[in-house]
Amino acid sequence: MRERNQSIDAIRFLAAILVVCLHVGLPKGQIWSMTTLFVARSAVPLFFMISGYMFGVRQKWDTQIEQYTKKQAWKITKIAVAAYIFYILIDVWRTGPKVVFHILMNYKTIIRFLFFNKTFYGGHLWYLFAYMCVLIVYWILLKKNKVKWMYYWTPIGLILYYVLGKYSKLIFGDVVSFWYARNFLMVGIPCFAIGYYFGQKGIKPAGERKNIEKAAWLVFLFWQIGLMWTERSFLRDHHAYVGNNNFIFNTSIAVTALLFALRFPGKSKWVSEMAKWGRKYSLIIYILHPLVSRCIGFVMKRVDLWIELTQQEKYLQIWRGILPILCIIGCIMTKLVWDGIQKNIIEKRKQTT
């Protein structure tokens, strides 16, 4: 068993923050905010790659990898189902059970959920169900000793991911629903396979001249961000820009971020601290941030001063910059309260026994 790479958990936490920015929003019309939101679409491919890497490494030493994968798949299934039910109940409270169950029982909703991981309520939860499907596929391939079959699907899945996604309007003349591209087949398995490959291959940490190599990786990252802007300009010039999908360079940025973490397994205090936050809070931030954002909006709409200030564009932009931070803090506080409640329950059970 190898020592855990702190940098991987640190970038996982940064990716969770980027997801919040993507869903909650940032100030509009600013180059920095638009760039951040473009880069933020690399977060989910990076999540899949990190998971694939972890399993790729573990498979080399764990003789019980099949049982471990089965347990992890079941764990993610329970989390995903619980989160989905939670968001469904919120909308039952908001709109009533008849509307919600009419939508959920529609055959199109069921088909899209089963084959394309579309979650009608809590749309961001698609990732959890896609990850669940990826682990199930990985487990089946493990049992058949055919894990490398994922590599054969990877280029096909990624090509379909872009053809049905960002480039659908350019190729077909019309926008294809992003659910056909954003699912376990098109993004989940390919990105998991990329991470798995690095885990199996083993990427050695940087040796001498670390600072020079680190600078080179950062230059390479910014070069890719520049190419992503070029990609956007190309699609806009051809009147084929599709907003709710990933650029080609989102995947390469995710690969770069993972390789950077593997080459530079940070051991400094601040990286270790961020890694702890990544392990403890990344998942809860991903699951709860839309709800926290909605709750903050619900409260602030009843504050007359806030309503008056946000009618002015200047203060509205400031609020858009503050809201993601408040969402992250709210998710962390929720986790701390929940952990405190669980600790008290365990202590009371110990006292009674």
Side-chain angles (χ1 to χ4, degrees):
M1 184 173 180
R2 293 175 50 180
E3 181 183 355
R4 194 175 182 102
N5 186 325
Q6 301 293 324
S7 294
I8 289 180
D9 290 315
I11 63 169
R12 193 204 304 269
F13 184 65
L14 291 175
I17 292 173
L18 287 175
V19 169
V20 175
C21 294
L22 182 63
H23 292 162
V24 175
L26 288 172
K28 293 184 178 180
Q30 304 292 323
I31 296 296
W32 70 268
S33 62
M34 292 177 66
T35 302
T36 301
L37 295 179
F38 290 163
V39 174
R41 292 196 175 277
S42 304
V44 168
L46 180 58
F47 286 147
F48 282 117
M49 289 179 195
I50 290 173
S51 298
Y53 171 79
M54 295 295 192
F55 278 94
V57 170
R58 191 177 187 102
Q59 188 178 325
K60 292 192 293 186
W61 59 264
D62 190 354
T63 57
Q64 304 296 320
I65 185 65
E66 288 184 26
Q67 289 81 349
Y68 175 78
T69 304
K70 188 176 179 180
K71 287 180 181 178
Q72 289 299 110
W74 179 237
K75 178 183 175 182
I76 291 297
T77 300
K78 290 190 289 185
I79 292 172
V81 171
Y84 195 29
I85 291 173
F86 178 68
Y87 277 96
I88 288 172
L89 291 176
I90 290 173
D91 273 271
V92 167
W93 174 67
R94 288 176 63 247
T95 62
K98 288 185 178 180
V99 175
V100 173
F101 287 108
H102 173 72
I103 293 171
L104 291 176
M105 293 299 106
N106 186 289
Y107 76 95
K108 290 182 179 179
T109 302
I110 296 171
I111 291 173
R112 288 169 183 169
F113 174 75
L114 292 175
F115 294 99
F116 303 109
N117 310 124
K118 180 176 180 179
T119 50
F120 199 91
Y121 297 101
H124 65 295
L125 298 177
W126 76 271
Y127 162 71
L128 294 179
F129 287 101
Y131 183 38
M132 176 193 74
C133 292
V134 169
L135 289 183
I136 292 171
V137 170
Y138 172 65
W139 176 71
I140 293 171
L141 293 176
L142 270 175
K143 290 180 72 66
K144 301 293 184 181
N145 198 26
K146 302 291 185 182
V147 176
K148 290 186 178 180
W149 281 11
M150 292 190 301
Y151 297 150
Y152 305 141
W153 174 252
T154 295
I156 299 171
L158 287 177
I159 290 170
L160 290 173
Y161 183 37
Y162 301 119
V163 168
L164 298 174
K166 206 70 174 180
Y167 288 82
S168 60
K169 191 173 181 180
L170 181 69
I171 295 171
F172 303 114
D174 199 5
V175 177
V176 176
S177 177
F178 57 86
W179 294 108
Y180 294 109
R182 199 176 71 178
N183 53 66
F184 78 101
L185 279 172
M186 309 309 176
V187 60
I189 292 176
C191 291
F192 184 90
I194 291 170
Y196 176 84
Y197 172 78
F198 292 137
Q200 286 280 290
K201 184 177 178 60
I203 305 298
K204 295 181 179 179
E208 298 179 357
R209 299 181 178 179
K210 286 185 179 180
N211 291 335
I212 295 175
E213 183 179 339
K214 194 177 292 185
W217 277 104
L218 292 175
V219 169
F220 182 55
L221 177 64
F222 284 113
W223 177 70
Q224 290 176 91
I225 293 172
L227 289 176
M228 191 162 54
W229 272 95
T230 303
E231 204 176 339
R232 174 182 180 270
S233 299
F234 169 78
L235 291 171
R236 288 179 68 91
D237 290 344
H238 288 79
H239 307 287
Y241 182 73
V242 179
N244 199 14
N245 287 99
N246 288 14
F247 294 102
I248 292 174
F249 283 97
N250 281 121
T251 306
S252 66
I253 287 172
V255 173
T256 301
L258 177 59
L259 288 174
F260 184 88
L262 297 178
R263 289 291 289 171
F264 306 101
K267 296 181 180 180
S268 62
K269 188 175 181 180
W270 72 270
V271 173
S272 297
E273 193 63 32
M274 189 178 293
K276 289 179 184 177
W277 285 51
R279 290 190 292 271
K280 191 171 183 180
Y281 299 118
S282 293
L283 184 59
I284 200 71
I285 288 173
Y286 188 89
I287 291 174
L288 286 185
H289 71 272
L291 176 63
V292 173
S293 174
R294 187 183 295 180
C295 291
I296 292 172
F298 178 81
V299 172
M300 296 307 293
K301 285 178 182 178
R302 281 149 181 79
V303 178
D304 293 336
L305 178 60
W306 178 85
I307 295 172
E308 184 178 342
L309 286 174
T310 51
Q311 288 177 350
Q312 302 178 45
E313 185 64 24
K314 174 184 175 181
Y315 294 106
L316 180 60
Q317 294 285 59
I318 293 173
W319 173 250
R320 285 174 177 154
I322 294 173
L323 184 56
I325 299 172
L326 294 178
C327 284
I328 294 166
I329 293 172
C331 292
I332 292 173
M333 290 179 64
T334 303
K335 172 66 172 172
L336 291 173
V337 170
W338 177 251
D339 288 345
I341 293 171
Q342 285 186 314
K343 186 177 179 180
N344 288 335
I345 292 172
I346 292 171
E347 288 178 354
K348 288 179 179 179
R349 286 178 178 175
K350 287 181 178 179
Q351 290 173 1
T352 56
T353 55

